[in-house]
Amino acid sequence: MTTINDVTKLDVIESVGVLTLNSPPVNALSANVREGLDIGIKKAIENNDIKAIVVICEGRTFIAGADISEFGQEPKGPSLFDVQDIMENSPKPVIAAIHGTALGGGLEVALTCHYRIAVKSAKCGLPEVNLGLLPGAGGTQRLPRLVGVEQALKMVTSGLHLPAEQCLQSGLIDKIANDDDLLNNSISYAKEIIEENRPLKKVRDIDEKVKAAQGNDEIFQNFRKSIERKTRGFLAPEYNIQCIEAAVNEPFDEGIKVERDLFIKLISGNQSAAQRYFFFAQRQVAKIPDIPKETELLDINKVGIIGAGTMGGGIAMNFANAGIPVTIIEQSQERLDKGIGIIRKNYENTAAKGRISLEDVDKRMQFINGNISIDTLSDKDLIIEAVFENMDLKKEIFSKLDLIAKDSAILATNTSALDINEIAETTKRPESVIGLHFFSPANVMRLLEIVRGEKTSKQIIATSMGLAKTIGKTAALVGVCPGFVGNRILAQRQREANKLILEGALPWEIDDALFDFGFPMGPFAMSDLAGLDIGWSKETSRSETIRDILCENGRFGQKSGKGFYIYDENRNKLPDNDVEKIIQEFADNKQIKRREIEKDEILKRCLYPMINEGFKILDEGMAIRASDIDIIWINGYGWPIYEGGPMFYGNLIGYDKILSWLQDMEKEHGSDFSPSPYLEKVVEEKINIFN
Ligand code: 3H9
């Protein structure tokens, strides 16, 4: 055995040079790994005892890509291109032995090997698009040469991880190995290649599949159309497509030049910076500084949910999907049957769209049962209260739960705004009480705000964070304050949007500005979708807001065909003159002088107060880190990933600029714009809030 460097060794086993990389956690192509490959391959080529070279990794995976944390730093060590050149031009066959995930630069390394063998459980992909990038080490030129243009387009624009069997079928790999014997299988395969004197297959020279697509521009146009909606606002998918076009229409080396140019454009732009930030933020959010990693988690095998309404039902589906039995409690059999019926319908709708089978529907429904007696929750490991937002009712439920729940049970509330400490105090075990704030529709939305009460125990928090992962949620730990983190920030945007329509902007102008920014919809379209009558009552309505007046006129939103917008039979929204009149009249009565408001001002008014609120939240310790706020807003409220979340976006704009805007606005319009003292401090002391 020869040690090449800290992370690489070379063994000679029966005339095969086995170059092993071991750079945890994911063998990313750091300078060390590139150096190991560079020197290791050269040494193996020089060694006369070696006839073929196997590149294999230790740990959980084959190379999972370039080391993302190195982007933007001074380049060190050999470049990836140099390493790839040496591998591709090796006079001895080089074989990539893949387990785990060969991703990004990892797959691009494998593509410069002459052969690829992978275990059955392995997956391959070029997920750079999810980092706002494209495969910048020949991936866009080599992939279509093996798998064909359509499959390549799909892979580079979605980041799809293709399972080994499909890789074999599409030509991306050459052989499947046993999961528990990759090393021996690879050595045997290498010997077979030597004995049969197989050619040194260079992917760059294979061009049947790309030639087949030459002159067929329709493939690209149709493909662009098919992903248009999903990729709105993102630059990287389009650039990836242009690279595949180059692979089809240009010689290999020219295609590489196109890839290089577009890669540089993307990596130096804000979108990729935001998407890379999101990658790390998404992992960081799971880490709770004062809770040790080794905290023992409670077993959650049985779950109880109180309330079979929209929230309760949606929450239940998460557990059923993960194979955890769940009992739903309602006040009457009728309500229970209705709630469970809706869950089945939801599953059946998913099956009708082909996302699950009818068999899956039955399987999942078997994990859901109902009862009208709360006493049946006595053996549950986790109980989630999901009744409507009424403090007295919640308190009553928690005092009951205190009497019946087993000692180790987690008692959770799905409240989106109420004081969890107050709820916890109705029990003799406030340390077991926690907030699990799911977002509607709870079976779809990825975000879960886990709300830490004053007395919530670390074990209950750690278990809840772990459970979130089990049910496929991204959890962010937040503190108790009105609206917690997500809704507290949303309230800022809502307030300003409501003010703006009185000052002169129309609902659709505000919605359009936010839609163009990248949100899936603006606040008024959102209110129409949710229903304007939620929390409104005819008896108490006194025409005090535009919403009151709309509801008084029977305009409840999409469900009544009219709200802020008017809807056609296909639920397409259209601006409505009547709404304009209502707003105008209301503003006149209040003696508000309306004026034209530019898109730029709309955005500032809606977004800057949100950023300001983020600083207040950080100052009060209600979120652990700035990036957690961004994770909440991206996963829960549709903030475009390529804008990085409110705190990241604010940094791009410049916190100093935002502060001086707030100061000016405060002078003119009062305390809605009072800057957070923490924002002032950050600007004054030039603090980096992302450290
Ligand atoms: C690229 O390759 C560009 C090329 O075209 C070349 C151009 C010249 N770098 O996700 P996990 C860390 S772009 C640095 O929790 P899992 C991660 O932060 C790259 N660090 O594990 C975490 O750290 P910590 C294309 C990385 O088992 C730890 O590893 N490749 C990288 O759930 C564990 O990660 C990709 O986009 C990296 N590339 O999932 C693949 N990857 O423990 C990105 C991971 O401190 N990676 N880390 O929080 C993944 O998709 C998943 O990590 C993977 C494992 C599926 C591999």
Side-chain angles (χ1 to χ4, degrees):
M1 193 268 283
T2 312
T3 301
I4 305 289
N5 67 4
D6 288 358
V7 297
T8 325
K9 61 176 183 163
L10 179 64
D11 292 283
V12 185
I13 306 174
E14 304 172 43
S15 74
V16 177
V18 178
L19 190 63
T20 309
L21 300 171
N22 184 12
S23 179
V26 296
N27 291 306
L29 287 160
S30 59
N32 248 355
V33 170
R34 295 196 304 273
E35 181 194 73
L37 279 169
D38 181 54
I39 303 176
I41 298 279
K42 283 179 187 157
K43 278 213 153 56
I45 293 171
E46 282 162 12
N47 186 330
N48 289 332
D49 296 337
I50 293 176
K51 305 282 179 248
I53 305 159
V54 166
V55 177
I56 194 166
C57 292
E58 277 182 12
R60 65 169 108 157
T61 179
F62 189 76
I63 304 166
D67 187 335
I68 306 165
S69 60
E70 273 186 4
F71 287 163
Q73 292 180 14
E74 221 21 60
K76 271 192 285 182
S79 83
L80 186 53
F81 307 104
D82 292 343
V83 172
Q84 286 178 303
D85 268 353
I86 292 161
M87 294 175 92
E88 196 165 52
N89 296 318
S90 156
K92 301 174 182 178
V94 183
I95 298 121
I98 298 170
H99 77 292
T101 42
L103 299 177
L107 181 58
E108 290 174 300
V109 164
L111 284 169
T112 48
C113 295
H114 305 108
Y115 295 91
R116 285 155 295 281
I117 176 171
V119 293
K120 223 174 168 171
S121 61
K123 290 181 176 165
C124 297
L126 293 174
E128 284 86 345
V129 71
N130 297 325
L131 300 168
L133 292 173
L134 53 85
T140 63
Q141 304 306 298
R142 290 189 177 89
L143 184 71
R145 286 177 155 76
L146 288 183
V147 305
V149 169
E150 275 158 343
Q151 175 73 325
L153 282 170
K154 212 190 286 171
M155 287 178 75
V156 295
T157 55
S158 69
L160 164 83
H161 296 182
L162 200 66
E165 294 277 7
Q166 288 177 43
C167 291
L168 182 68
Q169 276 161 24
S170 63
L172 184 50
I173 62 168
D174 304 286
K175 199 173 171 66
I176 299 261
N178 292 335
D179 261 286
D180 51 3
D181 212 6
L182 178 61
L183 178 61
N184 286 327
N185 283 198
S186 307
I187 293 171
S188 307
Y189 185 46
K191 281 163 60 187
E192 205 178 293
I193 291 166
I194 307 166
E195 276 154 26
E196 291 177 11
N197 205 10
R198 292 208 203 152
L200 297 172
K201 254 191 340 177
K202 289 186 192 173
V203 177
R204 56 175 287 153
D205 296 335
I206 304 172
D207 52 13
E208 268 161 55
K209 289 189 177 170
V210 285
K211 273 199 171 140
Q214 271 171 8
N216 187 356
D217 196 40
E218 251 180 42
I219 303 182
F220 296 102
Q221 297 320 332
N222 292 343
F223 187 78
R224 281 192 171 94
K225 257 197 205 113
S226 73
I227 61 164
E228 194 174 52
R229 260 187 68 176
K230 232 176 156 177
T231 57
R232 181 178 72 91
F234 288 91
L235 287 177
E238 170 57 27
Y239 283 28
N240 270 280
I241 296 173
Q242 288 177 20
C243 288
I244 306 283
E245 277 178 324
V248 168
N249 298 320
E250 309 284 342
F252 182 85
D253 288 326
E254 291 304 309
I256 288 284
K257 277 189 205 154
V258 172
E259 183 189 89
R260 193 86 292 255
D261 285 351
L262 293 178
F263 182 84
I264 288 168
K265 275 193 189 151
L266 287 178
I267 201 159
S268 50
N270 287 340
Q271 285 208 352
S272 175
Q275 289 179 257
R276 282 181 273 137
Y277 160 80
F278 175 72
F279 176 87
F280 287 114
Q282 187 86 352
R283 282 153 181 83
Q284 188 83 348
V285 71
K287 294 169 190 155
I288 313 300
D290 70 324
I291 299 184
K293 239 172 129 182
E294 49 286 350
T295 304
E296 202 183 316
L297 305 188
L298 297 163
D299 284 334
I300 305 292
N301 298 317
K302 290 181 190 169
V303 173
I305 292 175
I306 304 174
T310 313
M311 274 326 274
I315 295 170
M317 290 170 80
N318 286 293
F319 293 101
N321 295 346
I324 301 173
V326 47
T327 302
I328 306 179
I329 304 295
E330 251 303 345
Q331 281 170 313
S332 69
Q333 193 62 44
E334 198 190 337
R335 282 191 187 199
L336 188 59
D337 292 345
K338 189 176 164 208
I340 293 183
I342 291 174
I343 296 177
R344 177 172 278 282
K345 199 113 231 114
N346 278 338
Y347 277 136
E348 284 170 354
N349 286 343
T350 313
K353 287 179 194 144
R355 292 204 205 117
I356 56 171
S357 67
L358 282 174
E359 226 172 60
D360 289 332
V361 176
D362 287 335
K363 242 193 245 160
R364 291 178 198 199
M365 285 309 293
Q366 274 167 19
F367 287 108
I368 295 177
N369 64 74
N371 209 296
I372 50 168
S373 162
I374 199 167
D375 294 342
T376 49
L377 298 183
S378 59
D379 65 341
K380 303 298 179 246
D381 305 307
L382 163 69
I383 302 170
I384 306 173
E385 164 278 306
V387 303
F388 61 89
E389 295 285 35
N390 175 305
M391 184 53 112
D392 290 340
L393 178 62
K394 292 197 190 246
K395 281 183 172 172
E396 191 190 319
I397 289 172
F398 273 79
S399 3
K400 259 192 213 151
L401 288 178
D402 197 21
L403 298 177
I404 57 156
K406 63 181 188 183
D407 288 348
S408 60
I410 300 181
L411 307 183
T413 168
N414 177 51
T415 182
S416 59
L418 298 177
D419 184 344
I420 287 169
N421 295 326
E422 201 179 326
I423 296 174
E425 284 313 319
T426 60
T427 72
K428 286 190 212 69
R429 40 174 140 171
E431 69 283 357
S432 301
V433 176
I434 196 162
L436 295 183
H437 179 208
F438 288 84
F439 288 71
S440 188
N443 53 319
V444 178
M445 296 296 290
R446 281 199 72 183
L447 178 64
L448 178 65
E449 274 185 334
I450 297 188
V451 193
R452 176 182 201 160
E454 246 163 43
K455 296 187 180 155
T456 312
S457 81
K458 291 184 178 177
Q459 189 178 38
I460 298 278
I461 295 170
T463 303
S464 301
M465 295 295 292
L467 184 68
K469 209 169 172 193
T470 310
I471 60 171
K473 298 288 178 203
T474 298
L477 187 66
V478 300
V480 178
C481 58
F484 311 127
V485 170
N487 284 345
R488 180 169 160 181
I489 291 178
L490 178 67
Q492 297 292 316
R493 190 181 83 176
Q494 198 62 48
R495 185 195 63 224
E496 289 311 309
N498 288 337
K499 277 159 56 182
L500 279 167
I501 55 173
L502 300 185
E503 290 170 32
L506 291 164
W508 29 98
E509 290 170 348
I510 296 172
D511 281 353
D512 284 353
L514 290 163
F515 179 80
D516 291 347
F517 180 78
F519 281 101
M521 62 176 85
F524 298 103
M526 189 71 199
S527 303
D528 270 4
L529 180 68
L532 298 180
D533 56 335
I534 293 179
W536 175 83
S537 109
K538 197 173 174 177
E539 289 69 37
T540 54
S541 187
R542 302 273 176 276
S543 309
E544 278 157 0
T545 61
I546 300 288
R547 195 267 300 249
D548 280 352
I549 301 171
L550 293 175
C551 286
E552 286 160 16
N553 284 295
R555 306 184 69 118
F556 300 133
Q558 274 199 27
K559 60 183 162 190
S560 62
K562 287 178 192 176
F564 281 101
Y565 292 86
I566 189 157
Y567 293 86
D568 69 12
E569 60 282 4
N570 299 319
R571 293 209 164 190
N572 292 318
K573 57 180 177 11
L574 302 163
D576 189 353
N577 284 340
D578 290 349
V579 172
E580 217 174 315
K581 272 188 219 139
I582 290 173
I583 295 171
Q584 180 72 57
E585 227 170 80
F586 188 90
D588 288 347
N589 287 342
K590 297 239 171 226
Q591 292 175 349
I592 300 170
K593 205 163 166 289
R594 287 167 63 76
R595 64 190 167 91
E596 192 124 323
I597 302 180
E598 297 287 327
K599 186 171 166 182
D600 180 59
E601 186 181 344
I602 293 175
L603 281 182
K604 282 184 178 140
R605 282 283 294 276
C606 288
L607 303 182
Y608 289 8
M610 295 168 70
I611 299 163
N612 191 32
E613 195 65 25
F615 275 97
K616 292 182 188 168
I617 285 168
L618 286 176
D619 202 13
E620 293 166 28
M622 293 298 156
I624 297 172
R625 9 176 136 72
S627 61
D628 288 9
I629 296 179
D630 289 339
I631 287 299
I632 289 173
W633 262 79
I634 289 172
N635 287 298
Y637 298 83
W639 187 290
I641 298 179
Y642 56 78
E643 297 282 7
M647 305 314 284
F648 181 91
Y649 175 73
N651 193 31
L652 277 186
I653 299 288
Y655 295 136
D656 53 344
K657 288 202 182 93
I658 292 173
L659 175 62
S660 73
W661 182 87
L662 286 165
Q663 287 163 337
D664 291 347
M665 291 296 287
E666 186 189 25
K667 273 183 218 140
E668 221 179 302
H669 301 283
S671 64
D672 283 349
F673 301 95
S674 302
S676 146
Y678 183 47
L679 170 61
E680 289 169 343
K681 184 177 152 99
V682 163
V683 171
E684 199 176 293
E685 297 176 21
K686 296 192 169 50
I687 296 170
N688 179 355
I689 61 164
F690 297 100
N691 273 342

